[in-house]
Amino acid sequence: MNKQGLIKIKPYLLVLPALALAFLFCYRPFFLTVINSLSNVSLGGKRTAFVGFDNYGRLFSNASFQDSLSNTLRFTLFFVPTNIAVCLGAALLCNRKGKLASLNQVFMFLPMAVAMSSSMMMFKMMFNPSIGIMNHLLNSDIQWFSDPKAAMFLLVMAGVWLDIGFDFLLLSSALRNVPKELLEVSNLEGANPWQTFTALQLPLIGPTLLFILVNNVKDAMLISAPVLILTEGGPFRSTQTLVYQMYLEGFKSGNYALGSTIATVVFALTFIIMLLLLSLERKRVYYQ
Amino acid sequence: MKKITPLLATLFSLIVVFPIVYSFSASFFSYTDFTSIPPRFFSSQPTFSNYTRAFLESNLAGFLSNSLITATMGTLIRLSISILTAYTFTFFTFKGRDVLFVLIIATMLLPGDALLIENFITIRHLGLIDTYLGIISTSLLAPTHIFMIRQYFKMVSSEYREAAIIEGCSDSRFLITLLLPISQGVVITLALQSFTGIFNDYLWPLLVTNKESMRTVQVGITMLGFSENLDYGPQFAAITLLMTPVLIAFILLNKNIKESVSTRFTGR
């Protein structure tokens, strides 16, 4: 090849690795998943027949899927408000100066340093109903892993603990960016802390809160690994979520078609949420 | 109100940090410490035997080395690809550039968890089950990294590169001697983020490893075989061992971490 041709082709060669990876591990599997959701798939992963929307019909009448869908929505509904309230409360309480305050702050974001699987193993052992420390501390006899309500509550708490570090840091930094002069003025005018919060701080940290809200909804809809380690979907499928069922269908039962159908539903749900996130972010840029 | 706030904050932060402190303390428990009534927070006679047992009776050391190898390999390849791609999209003009860029960035919209089944089939076809390459394969493309590095590179005018090329400087030399030193900060941050991200990954390594000898530590730590028998000491020891270096780093770097979050996510 002559030199001119090489110069022309060079940029394409340089971006080839990234493009190849995008094709191989994102676009190709995405399209195959959607196609599989419209087909019969053998145990070996081969498509045997095109069946239209049959899998979707089967999926939505599948009792296990109905449980997964309602559990995922329930988890999202419990988790998101709890997490935001806890993280915002923590950030407000720690929004002070001094040695004690900065120690409080460090404690609040330390959970971020513990990997997900280690955290869930800690929770699993601490909440063991017979020899775990939590039942002793609470002076209770809660069957954390065999009572559906307790198991869901535990999963929500575990989710908050996994998220608190990062969301706390985001909210703390948003609160720090509220201009001091405004706070002093509101103090001089005799506003109580609640009034200062609702009239001054809340609107100013609004964009950060929105960002956290949408991200939390997305994470909650996709939750799977903590379920896998902590509750394994139990008891009686009461904590089985969408992605966890997809994992079960695809890897435990070898039911690729149904697994792919759930994956497609998950794509659609997250796509809607991501669009929401992007439009919110665009608004945020506009603000500044 | 002024007096209550520090008190509440301290109480709250102690609750948050409790699982970490308890795990640390419990890693020195003897078997009977777990079952004693009333329950203990500190061991009656602290013992290191949980740590030795965690290493001797499980494959913890092997898991740890698998994780260190895959996280290092993955970070190096991922950053090289990200830098190369960002460089090309910043300094070259070519047909279809914008479309290709969007094509790469848009992969962010596809959640990796929903791609697990098909990616697993791909890796099986390629014969990469139980290999390091299989474990890191799906983490090699990082659209957010490409995007952020490109933002940095954009600060350098492309006229600089043209001038340098005319003077006989090669692309690789321009990249290594000029661009990388000025974007050192972002590259180091992304390297750390990549390393911890790949090191902490759970679901994908779980799926693509069948042999115990290939497991990464995050997967392995859930299958050490202690907690199933309510033998919690060695399990807590393994967790403590794994989290302590990161905890120390977080405490030492706490100011930088606070700063990096505020600058990265509020765009200021």
PDB file of all heavy atoms in Angstrom, chain A residues 28-59:
ATOM      1  N   ARG A  28     -23.691  -6.843  19.079  1.00  0.00           N
ATOM      2  CA  ARG A  28     -24.051  -8.190  18.632  1.00  0.00           C
ATOM      3  C   ARG A  28     -24.888  -8.915  19.695  1.00  0.00           C
ATOM      4  O   ARG A  28     -25.979  -9.399  19.383  1.00  0.00           O
ATOM      5  CB  ARG A  28     -22.779  -8.971  18.269  1.00  0.00           C
ATOM      6  CG  ARG A  28     -23.058 -10.343  17.708  1.00  0.00           C
ATOM      7  CD  ARG A  28     -21.770 -11.015  17.253  1.00  0.00           C
ATOM      8  NE  ARG A  28     -22.043 -12.369  16.840  1.00  0.00           N
ATOM      9  CZ  ARG A  28     -22.057 -13.398  17.662  1.00  0.00           C
ATOM     10  NH1 ARG A  28     -21.791 -13.217  18.946  1.00  0.00           N
ATOM     11  NH2 ARG A  28     -22.331 -14.609  17.210  1.00  0.00           N
ATOM     12  N   PRO A  29     -24.415  -8.971  20.959  1.00  0.00           N
ATOM     13  CA  PRO A  29     -25.249  -9.655  21.962  1.00  0.00           C
ATOM     14  C   PRO A  29     -26.613  -8.992  22.141  1.00  0.00           C
ATOM     15  O   PRO A  29     -27.604  -9.682  22.378  1.00  0.00           O
ATOM     16  CB  PRO A  29     -24.430  -9.568  23.249  1.00  0.00           C
ATOM     17  CG  PRO A  29     -23.367  -8.582  23.000  1.00  0.00           C
ATOM     18  CD  PRO A  29     -23.119  -8.566  21.534  1.00  0.00           C
ATOM     19  N   PHE A  30     -26.649  -7.650  21.991  1.00  0.00           N
ATOM     20  CA  PHE A  30     -27.934  -6.956  22.132  1.00  0.00           C
ATOM     21  C   PHE A  30     -28.922  -7.437  21.074  1.00  0.00           C
ATOM     22  O   PHE A  30     -30.051  -7.837  21.384  1.00  0.00           O
ATOM     23  CB  PHE A  30     -27.728  -5.445  22.047  1.00  0.00           C
ATOM     24  CG  PHE A  30     -29.016  -4.669  21.966  1.00  0.00           C
ATOM     25  CD1 PHE A  30     -29.863  -4.597  23.060  1.00  0.00           C
ATOM     26  CD2 PHE A  30     -29.382  -4.022  20.793  1.00  0.00           C
ATOM     27  CE1 PHE A  30     -31.055  -3.901  22.989  1.00  0.00           C
ATOM     28  CE2 PHE A  30     -30.575  -3.318  20.712  1.00  0.00           C
ATOM     29  CZ  PHE A  30     -31.412  -3.261  21.813  1.00  0.00           C
ATOM     30  N   PHE A  31     -28.477  -7.435  19.810  1.00  0.00           N
ATOM     31  CA  PHE A  31     -29.393  -7.848  18.742  1.00  0.00           C
ATOM     32  C   PHE A  31     -29.749  -9.327  18.857  1.00  0.00           C
ATOM     33  O   PHE A  31     -30.901  -9.713  18.657  1.00  0.00           O
ATOM     34  CB  PHE A  31     -28.806  -7.522  17.362  1.00  0.00           C
ATOM     35  CG  PHE A  31     -28.838  -6.057  17.069  1.00  0.00           C
ATOM     36  CD1 PHE A  31     -27.672  -5.325  16.922  1.00  0.00           C
ATOM     37  CD2 PHE A  31     -30.056  -5.380  16.989  1.00  0.00           C
ATOM     38  CE1 PHE A  31     -27.713  -3.953  16.693  1.00  0.00           C
ATOM     39  CE2 PHE A  31     -30.104  -4.014  16.762  1.00  0.00           C
ATOM     40  CZ  PHE A  31     -28.927  -3.304  16.608  1.00  0.00           C
ATOM     41  N   LEU A  32     -28.768 -10.153  19.214  1.00  0.00           N
ATOM     42  CA  LEU A  32     -29.048 -11.585  19.366  1.00  0.00           C
ATOM     43  C   LEU A  32     -30.052 -11.827  20.497  1.00  0.00           C
ATOM     44  O   LEU A  32     -30.922 -12.689  20.385  1.00  0.00           O
ATOM     45  CB  LEU A  32     -27.759 -12.364  19.632  1.00  0.00           C
ATOM     46  CG  LEU A  32     -26.860 -12.540  18.407  1.00  0.00           C
ATOM     47  CD1 LEU A  32     -25.600 -13.298  18.791  1.00  0.00           C
ATOM     48  CD2 LEU A  32     -27.596 -13.270  17.298  1.00  0.00           C
ATOM     49  N   THR A  33     -29.926 -11.040  21.586  1.00  0.00           N
ATOM     50  CA  THR A  33     -30.871 -11.184  22.694  1.00  0.00           C
ATOM     51  C   THR A  33     -32.284 -10.874  22.239  1.00  0.00           C
ATOM     52  O   THR A  33     -33.224 -11.615  22.527  1.00  0.00           O
ATOM     53  CB  THR A  33     -30.471 -10.255  23.861  1.00  0.00           C
ATOM     54  OG1 THR A  33     -29.141 -10.557  24.250  1.00  0.00           O
ATOM     55  CG2 THR A  33     -31.389 -10.430  25.039  1.00  0.00           C
ATOM     56  N   VAL A  34     -32.409  -9.764  21.482  1.00  0.00           N
ATOM     57  CA  VAL A  34     -33.748  -9.393  21.001  1.00  0.00           C
ATOM     58  C   VAL A  34     -34.281 -10.468  20.047  1.00  0.00           C
ATOM     59  O   VAL A  34     -35.449 -10.883  20.141  1.00  0.00           O
ATOM     60  CB  VAL A  34     -33.711  -8.003  20.319  1.00  0.00           C
ATOM     61  CG1 VAL A  34     -35.067  -7.668  19.732  1.00  0.00           C
ATOM     62  CG2 VAL A  34     -33.286  -6.942  21.328  1.00  0.00           C
ATOM     63  N   ILE A  35     -33.419 -10.972  19.132  1.00  0.00           N
ATOM     64  CA  ILE A  35     -33.861 -12.011  18.195  1.00  0.00           C
ATOM     65  C   ILE A  35     -34.236 -13.293  18.954  1.00  0.00           C
ATOM     66  O   ILE A  35     -35.255 -13.910  18.674  1.00  0.00           O
ATOM     67  CB  ILE A  35     -32.758 -12.302  17.143  1.00  0.00           C
ATOM     68  CG1 ILE A  35     -32.558 -11.071  16.258  1.00  0.00           C
ATOM     69  CG2 ILE A  35     -33.121 -13.502  16.282  1.00  0.00           C
ATOM     70  CD1 ILE A  35     -31.330 -11.160  15.374  1.00  0.00           C
ATOM     71  N   ASN A  36     -33.402 -13.667  19.936  1.00  0.00           N
ATOM     72  CA  ASN A  36     -33.702 -14.867  20.727  1.00  0.00           C
ATOM     73  C   ASN A  36     -35.031 -14.760  21.443  1.00  0.00           C
ATOM     74  O   ASN A  36     -35.717 -15.761  21.639  1.00  0.00           O
ATOM     75  CB  ASN A  36     -32.598 -15.113  21.766  1.00  0.00           C
ATOM     76  CG  ASN A  36     -31.425 -15.847  21.174  1.00  0.00           C
ATOM     77  OD1 ASN A  36     -31.493 -16.330  20.045  1.00  0.00           O
ATOM     78  ND2 ASN A  36     -30.351 -15.933  21.927  1.00  0.00           N
ATOM     79  N   SER A  37     -35.376 -13.526  21.857  1.00  0.00           N
ATOM     80  CA  SER A  37     -36.631 -13.356  22.582  1.00  0.00           C
ATOM     81  C   SER A  37     -37.821 -13.608  21.653  1.00  0.00           C
ATOM     82  O   SER A  37     -38.941 -13.774  22.104  1.00  0.00           O
ATOM     83  CB  SER A  37     -36.718 -11.967  23.204  1.00  0.00           C
ATOM     84  OG  SER A  37     -37.043 -11.005  22.231  1.00  0.00           O
ATOM     85  N   LEU A  38     -37.557 -13.642  20.340  1.00  0.00           N
ATOM     86  CA  LEU A  38     -38.627 -13.890  19.368  1.00  0.00           C
ATOM     87  C   LEU A  38     -38.521 -15.292  18.774  1.00  0.00           C
ATOM     88  O   LEU A  38     -39.156 -15.604  17.776  1.00  0.00           O
ATOM     89  CB  LEU A  38     -38.570 -12.850  18.234  1.00  0.00           C
ATOM     90  CG  LEU A  38     -38.639 -11.384  18.664  1.00  0.00           C
ATOM     91  CD1 LEU A  38     -38.313 -10.461  17.515  1.00  0.00           C
ATOM     92  CD2 LEU A  38     -40.016 -11.058  19.224  1.00  0.00           C
ATOM     93  N   SER A  39     -37.665 -16.146  19.375  1.00  0.00           N
ATOM     94  CA  SER A  39     -37.418 -17.464  18.786  1.00  0.00           C
ATOM     95  C   SER A  39     -37.482 -18.565  19.837  1.00  0.00           C
ATOM     96  O   SER A  39     -37.509 -18.304  21.027  1.00  0.00           O
ATOM     97  CB  SER A  39     -36.018 -17.514  18.155  1.00  0.00           C
ATOM     98  OG  SER A  39     -35.724 -16.351  17.458  1.00  0.00           O
ATOM     99  N   ASN A  40     -37.488 -19.807  19.331  1.00  0.00           N
ATOM    100  CA  ASN A  40     -37.205 -20.945  20.199  1.00  0.00           C
ATOM    101  C   ASN A  40     -35.716 -21.185  20.178  1.00  0.00           C
ATOM    102  O   ASN A  40     -35.109 -21.177  19.106  1.00  0.00           O
ATOM    103  CB  ASN A  40     -37.924 -22.201  19.684  1.00  0.00           C
ATOM    104  CG  ASN A  40     -39.352 -22.259  20.175  1.00  0.00           C
ATOM    105  OD1 ASN A  40     -39.687 -21.686  21.201  1.00  0.00           O
ATOM    106  ND2 ASN A  40     -40.201 -22.943  19.411  1.00  0.00           N
ATOM    107  N   VAL A  41     -35.125 -21.404  21.340  1.00  0.00           N
ATOM    108  CA  VAL A  41     -33.683 -21.598  21.389  1.00  0.00           C
ATOM    109  C   VAL A  41     -33.388 -22.927  22.074  1.00  0.00           C
ATOM    110  O   VAL A  41     -33.973 -23.244  23.115  1.00  0.00           O
ATOM    111  CB  VAL A  41     -32.993 -20.454  22.167  1.00  0.00           C
ATOM    112  CG1 VAL A  41     -31.479 -20.597  22.102  1.00  0.00           C
ATOM    113  CG2 VAL A  41     -33.408 -19.107  21.602  1.00  0.00           C
ATOM    114  N   SER A  42     -32.473 -23.724  21.455  1.00  0.00           N
ATOM    115  CA  SER A  42     -32.148 -25.037  22.025  1.00  0.00           C
ATOM    116  C   SER A  42     -31.199 -24.877  23.206  1.00  0.00           C
ATOM    117  O   SER A  42     -30.665 -23.789  23.451  1.00  0.00           O
ATOM    118  CB  SER A  42     -31.497 -25.912  20.963  1.00  0.00           C
ATOM    119  OG  SER A  42     -30.162 -25.485  20.772  1.00  0.00           O
ATOM    120  N   LEU A  43     -30.971 -25.960  23.923  1.00  0.00           N
ATOM    121  CA  LEU A  43     -30.070 -25.933  25.073  1.00  0.00           C
ATOM    122  C   LEU A  43     -28.655 -25.514  24.695  1.00  0.00           C
ATOM    123  O   LEU A  43     -27.928 -24.936  25.491  1.00  0.00           O
ATOM    124  CB  LEU A  43     -30.023 -27.314  25.724  1.00  0.00           C
ATOM    125  CG  LEU A  43     -31.080 -27.573  26.794  1.00  0.00           C
ATOM    126  CD1 LEU A  43     -31.047 -29.028  27.206  1.00  0.00           C
ATOM    127  CD2 LEU A  43     -30.877 -26.672  27.996  1.00  0.00           C
ATOM    128  N   GLY A  44     -28.264 -25.826  23.435  1.00  0.00           N
ATOM    129  CA  GLY A  44     -26.924 -25.456  22.987  1.00  0.00           C
ATOM    130  C   GLY A  44     -26.829 -23.993  22.584  1.00  0.00           C
ATOM    131  O   GLY A  44     -25.771 -23.522  22.172  1.00  0.00           O
ATOM    132  N   GLY A  45     -27.944 -23.243  22.676  1.00  0.00           N
ATOM    133  CA  GLY A  45     -27.937 -21.835  22.309  1.00  0.00           C
ATOM    134  C   GLY A  45     -28.259 -21.596  20.834  1.00  0.00           C
ATOM    135  O   GLY A  45     -28.031 -20.506  20.323  1.00  0.00           O
ATOM    136  N   LYS A  46     -28.781 -22.611  20.109  1.00  0.00           N
ATOM    137  CA  LYS A  46     -29.116 -22.450  18.679  1.00  0.00           C
ATOM    138  C   LYS A  46     -30.597 -22.089  18.533  1.00  0.00           C
ATOM    139  O   LYS A  46     -31.451 -22.673  19.188  1.00  0.00           O
ATOM    140  CB  LYS A  46     -28.860 -23.766  17.928  1.00  0.00           C
ATOM    141  CG  LYS A  46     -27.404 -24.140  17.800  1.00  0.00           C
ATOM    142  CD  LYS A  46     -27.039 -24.285  16.329  1.00  0.00           C
ATOM    143  CE  LYS A  46     -25.576 -24.520  16.070  1.00  0.00           C
ATOM    144  NZ  LYS A  46     -24.637 -24.102  17.110  1.00  0.00           N
ATOM    145  N   ARG A  47     -30.879 -21.116  17.625  1.00  0.00           N
ATOM    146  CA  ARG A  47     -32.262 -20.769  17.352  1.00  0.00           C
ATOM    147  C   ARG A  47     -32.897 -21.841  16.466  1.00  0.00           C
ATOM    148  O   ARG A  47     -32.329 -22.207  15.436  1.00  0.00           O
ATOM    149  CB  ARG A  47     -32.343 -19.417  16.648  1.00  0.00           C
ATOM    150  CG  ARG A  47     -32.265 -18.239  17.577  1.00  0.00           C
ATOM    151  CD  ARG A  47     -32.113 -16.951  16.819  1.00  0.00           C
ATOM    152  NE  ARG A  47     -30.831 -16.889  16.120  1.00  0.00           N
ATOM    153  CZ  ARG A  47     -29.668 -16.632  16.727  1.00  0.00           C
ATOM    154  NH1 ARG A  47     -29.625 -16.406  18.007  1.00  0.00           N
ATOM    155  NH2 ARG A  47     -28.551 -16.598  16.032  1.00  0.00           N
ATOM    156  N   THR A  48     -34.039 -22.377  16.861  1.00  0.00           N
ATOM    157  CA  THR A  48     -34.658 -23.439  16.066  1.00  0.00           C
ATOM    158  C   THR A  48     -35.874 -22.947  15.285  1.00  0.00           C
ATOM    159  O   THR A  48     -36.164 -23.461  14.221  1.00  0.00           O
ATOM    160  CB  THR A  48     -35.086 -24.618  16.964  1.00  0.00           C
ATOM    161  OG1 THR A  48     -35.838 -24.098  18.059  1.00  0.00           O
ATOM    162  CG2 THR A  48     -33.871 -25.358  17.499  1.00  0.00           C
ATOM    163  N   ALA A  49     -36.602 -21.958  15.777  1.00  0.00           N
ATOM    164  CA  ALA A  49     -37.765 -21.458  15.047  1.00  0.00           C
ATOM    165  C   ALA A  49     -38.094 -20.044  15.474  1.00  0.00           C
ATOM    166  O   ALA A  49     -37.812 -19.642  16.611  1.00  0.00           O
ATOM    167  CB  ALA A  49     -38.969 -22.369  15.306  1.00  0.00           C
ATOM    168  N   PHE A  50     -38.665 -19.286  14.535  1.00  0.00           N
ATOM    169  CA  PHE A  50     -39.128 -17.942  14.856  1.00  0.00           C
ATOM    170  C   PHE A  50     -40.543 -18.042  15.401  1.00  0.00           C
ATOM    171  O   PHE A  50     -41.401 -18.673  14.773  1.00  0.00           O
ATOM    172  CB  PHE A  50     -39.094 -17.084  13.585  1.00  0.00           C
ATOM    173  CG  PHE A  50     -39.540 -15.670  13.818  1.00  0.00           C
ATOM    174  CD1 PHE A  50     -38.690 -14.733  14.380  1.00  0.00           C
ATOM    175  CD2 PHE A  50     -40.838 -15.274  13.474  1.00  0.00           C
ATOM    176  CE1 PHE A  50     -39.103 -13.436  14.604  1.00  0.00           C
ATOM    177  CE2 PHE A  50     -41.258 -13.966  13.693  1.00  0.00           C
ATOM    178  CZ  PHE A  50     -40.385 -13.054  14.253  1.00  0.00           C
ATOM    179  N   VAL A  51     -40.804 -17.492  16.570  1.00  0.00           N
ATOM    180  CA  VAL A  51     -42.127 -17.686  17.171  1.00  0.00           C
ATOM    181  C   VAL A  51     -42.843 -16.369  17.475  1.00  0.00           C
ATOM    182  O   VAL A  51     -43.848 -16.363  18.176  1.00  0.00           O
ATOM    183  CB  VAL A  51     -42.033 -18.513  18.478  1.00  0.00           C
ATOM    184  CG1 VAL A  51     -41.554 -19.924  18.180  1.00  0.00           C
ATOM    185  CG2 VAL A  51     -41.120 -17.835  19.488  1.00  0.00           C
ATOM    186  N   GLY A  52     -42.342 -15.262  16.930  1.00  0.00           N
ATOM    187  CA  GLY A  52     -42.999 -13.980  17.177  1.00  0.00           C
ATOM    188  C   GLY A  52     -42.992 -13.608  18.639  1.00  0.00           C
ATOM    189  O   GLY A  52     -41.982 -13.797  19.322  1.00  0.00           O
ATOM    190  N   PHE A  53     -44.126 -13.145  19.127  1.00  0.00           N
ATOM    191  CA  PHE A  53     -44.171 -12.656  20.503  1.00  0.00           C
ATOM    192  C   PHE A  53     -44.605 -13.724  21.508  1.00  0.00           C
ATOM    193  O   PHE A  53     -44.958 -13.400  22.632  1.00  0.00           O
ATOM    194  CB  PHE A  53     -45.069 -11.422  20.594  1.00  0.00           C
ATOM    195  CG  PHE A  53     -44.417 -10.194  20.021  1.00  0.00           C
ATOM    196  CD1 PHE A  53     -44.657  -9.813  18.711  1.00  0.00           C
ATOM    197  CD2 PHE A  53     -43.539  -9.441  20.788  1.00  0.00           C
ATOM    198  CE1 PHE A  53     -44.033  -8.691  18.176  1.00  0.00           C
ATOM    199  CE2 PHE A  53     -42.911  -8.328  20.261  1.00  0.00           C
ATOM    200  CZ  PHE A  53     -43.156  -7.954  18.942  1.00  0.00           C
ATOM    201  N   ASP A  54     -44.550 -14.996  21.070  1.00  0.00           N
ATOM    202  CA  ASP A  54     -44.961 -16.093  21.960  1.00  0.00           C
ATOM    203  C   ASP A  54     -44.258 -16.066  23.307  1.00  0.00           C
ATOM    204  O   ASP A  54     -44.888 -16.256  24.348  1.00  0.00           O
ATOM    205  CB  ASP A  54     -44.674 -17.457  21.303  1.00  0.00           C
ATOM    206  CG  ASP A  54     -45.746 -17.795  20.286  1.00  0.00           C
ATOM    207  OD1 ASP A  54     -46.571 -16.899  19.996  1.00  0.00           O
ATOM    208  OD2 ASP A  54     -45.753 -18.931  19.772  1.00  0.00           O
ATOM    209  N   ASN A  55     -42.920 -15.836  23.264  1.00  0.00           N
ATOM    210  CA  ASN A  55     -42.159 -15.846  24.517  1.00  0.00           C
ATOM    211  C   ASN A  55     -42.651 -14.781  25.484  1.00  0.00           C
ATOM    212  O   ASN A  55     -42.661 -14.994  26.692  1.00  0.00           O
ATOM    213  CB  ASN A  55     -40.674 -15.625  24.243  1.00  0.00           C
ATOM    214  CG  ASN A  55     -40.030 -16.829  23.595  1.00  0.00           C
ATOM    215  OD1 ASN A  55     -40.404 -17.959  23.882  1.00  0.00           O
ATOM    216  ND2 ASN A  55     -39.085 -16.589  22.696  1.00  0.00           N
ATOM    217  N   TYR A  56     -43.031 -13.623  24.913  1.00  0.00           N
ATOM    218  CA  TYR A  56     -43.520 -12.546  25.771  1.00  0.00           C
ATOM    219  C   TYR A  56     -44.841 -12.941  26.415  1.00  0.00           C
ATOM    220  O   TYR A  56     -45.073 -12.685  27.598  1.00  0.00           O
ATOM    221  CB  TYR A  56     -43.671 -11.239  24.984  1.00  0.00           C
ATOM    222  CG  TYR A  56     -42.337 -10.662  24.595  1.00  0.00           C
ATOM    223  CD1 TYR A  56     -41.724 -11.046  23.403  1.00  0.00           C
ATOM    224  CD2 TYR A  56     -41.668  -9.791  25.433  1.00  0.00           C
ATOM    225  CE1 TYR A  56     -40.483 -10.552  23.043  1.00  0.00           C
ATOM    226  CE2 TYR A  56     -40.424  -9.286  25.098  1.00  0.00           C
ATOM    227  CZ  TYR A  56     -39.838  -9.676  23.899  1.00  0.00           C
ATOM    228  OH  TYR A  56     -38.606  -9.198  23.565  1.00  0.00           O
ATOM    229  N   GLY A  57     -45.722 -13.584  25.612  1.00  0.00           N
ATOM    230  CA  GLY A  57     -46.994 -14.072  26.151  1.00  0.00           C
ATOM    231  C   GLY A  57     -46.736 -15.048  27.281  1.00  0.00           C
ATOM    232  O   GLY A  57     -47.317 -14.939  28.368  1.00  0.00           O
ATOM    233  N   ARG A  58     -45.808 -15.992  27.019  1.00  0.00           N
ATOM    234  CA  ARG A  58     -45.484 -16.992  28.028  1.00  0.00           C
ATOM    235  C   ARG A  58     -44.887 -16.332  29.268  1.00  0.00           C
ATOM    236  O   ARG A  58     -45.192 -16.707  30.401  1.00  0.00           O
ATOM    237  CB  ARG A  58     -44.481 -17.998  27.457  1.00  0.00           C
ATOM    238  CG  ARG A  58     -45.118 -19.299  27.055  1.00  0.00           C
ATOM    239  CD  ARG A  58     -44.126 -20.204  26.341  1.00  0.00           C
ATOM    240  NE  ARG A  58     -42.933 -20.489  27.116  1.00  0.00           N
ATOM    241  CZ  ARG A  58     -41.708 -20.620  26.589  1.00  0.00           C
ATOM    242  NH1 ARG A  58     -41.519 -20.470  25.291  1.00  0.00           N
ATOM    243  NH2 ARG A  58     -40.679 -20.889  27.350  1.00  0.00           N
ATOM    244  N   LEU A  59     -44.021 -15.343  29.014  1.00  0.00           N
ATOM    245  CA  LEU A  59     -43.339 -14.686  30.128  1.00  0.00           C
ATOM    246  C   LEU A  59     -44.328 -13.980  31.047  1.00  0.00           C
ATOM    247  O   LEU A  59     -44.299 -14.142  32.262  1.00  0.00           O
ATOM    248  CB  LEU A  59     -42.313 -13.685  29.596  1.00  0.00           C
ATOM    249  CG  LEU A  59     -41.416 -13.053  30.646  1.00  0.00           C
ATOM    250  CD1 LEU A  59     -40.482 -14.085  31.234  1.00  0.00           C
ATOM    251  CD2 LEU A  59     -40.610 -11.917  30.055  1.00  0.00           C
TER     252      LEU A  59
END
